[in-house]
Amino acid sequence: THPEYFALLGGVRVGTGNHLCISNPQVQELVYREMLKQLDAGAETVEVGQTDSYNQCECEACRKYGNTDDPGEKLWIFHRSLAERLQKDRPGKKALLISYGPTAEPPKTFESFPENTLIEMCDYSPESFRKWKKFKGIQGFTVYVYNWGDYPQPGFTARLSPEACADQVRLFDANKVRGVYRCGFGELFGMEGPVYYLYGKLLETPDLSPEKVLEDYYKN
């Protein structure tokens, strides 16, 4: 009923994929109202993110939005504006903004967020954490990990070594990571069972010895 809410692609408003016209004031208001709805229902934090395989709206208003040609930067500007509104309207509640796809790189036009902001990182390399260090206001990070899942090449052996588990968890601990979303898990309990156990134990206590944790698993 509202084709103008969706992205203009090749001269046509396209609903497939749910790519939005982010410059549209009604779209902005609908997104914000959904954030308030989730928080008022009891959530402490609400996540905001663009659709997968993002397509930028080609309308004139979206072209001008944010005074930048960078699709990711436009999204960062939009998402930060939502967090700013939220800080005023729901003090104490948090906005979790996703760094993924066009927003994989941190913003270029600003270096601070309102102090109700968390960032969800889908690239959680040491270099990515270094890039985020200059930004003020961020209260911490969550990570969307691709350690497991049936989308990589299948096999019969474990995908992540105990050493890699320990390195990753300690990196997260050192960089204020407050939550982990596993994009896939549990496909190979026989071979990967020890690593699943180790990962959970390290998340509780990152400085544990992997060797001692695994010895406990094997014996008990």
Side-chain angles (χ1 to χ4, degrees), residues 177-217:
V177 170
R178 299 189 174 189
V180 176
Y181 178 84
R182 300 174 310 205
C183 189
F185 178 76
E187 297 81 20
L188 198 63
F189 271 95
M191 182 64 74
E192 290 187 326
V195 172
Y196 299 159
Y197 179 80
L198 172 65
Y199 200 78
K201 287 295 184 182
L202 289 172
L203 287 173
E204 292 177 345
T205 312
D207 59 355
L208 286 175
S209 163
E211 292 79 9
K212 290 182 179 178
V213 173
L214 291 175
E215 184 179 0
D216 178 66
Y217 177 87

Side-chain angles (χ1 to χ4, degrees), residues 127-142:
E127 177 60 25
S128 290
F129 282 112
R130 280 193 288 272
K131 290 178 181 178
W132 280 103
K133 284 190 180 298
K134 67 179 181 180
F135 287 86
K136 297 180 175 64
I138 296 172
Q139 301 302 299
F141 300 90
T142 70

Side-chain angles (χ1 to χ4, degrees), residues 15-69:
T16 304
N18 297 313
H19 305 292
L20 301 177
C21 178
I22 65 170
S23 67
N24 185 309
Q26 285 76 38
V27 169
Q28 295 175 9
E29 195 61 28
L30 283 168
V31 174
Y32 186 63
R33 271 194 267 153
E34 181 64 23
M35 293 171 69
L36 295 182
K37 176 183 173 183
Q38 298 300 329
L39 293 168
D40 292 344
E44 291 298 317
T45 302
V46 62
E47 182 170 8
V48 180
Q50 66 278 1
T51 47
D52 218 351
S53 303
Y54 181 71
N55 288 316
Q56 177 181 268
C57 178
E58 298 168 354
C59 78
E60 188 64 24
C62 279
R63 289 180 189 276
K64 294 178 179 178
Y65 186 78
N67 296 314
T68 175
D69 294 328

Side-chain angles (χ1 to χ4, degrees), residues 144-158:
Y144 193 114
V145 299
Y146 301 91
N147 296 338
W148 301 287
D150 56 11
Y151 42 86
Q153 181 69 33
F156 295 103
T157 57

Side-chain angles (χ1 to χ4, degrees), residues 105-136:
E105 289 293 316
K108 304 176 184 68
T109 58
F110 59 87
E111 293 186 359
S112 67
F113 288 86
E115 292 184 355
N116 63 344
T117 305
L118 300 158
I119 303 294
E120 180 174 41
M121 297 175 65
C122 297
D123 175 3
Y124 36 85
S125 64
E127 177 60 25
S128 290
F129 282 112
R130 280 193 288 272
K131 290 178 181 178
W132 280 103
K133 284 190 180 298
K134 67 179 181 180
F135 287 86
K136 297 180 175 64

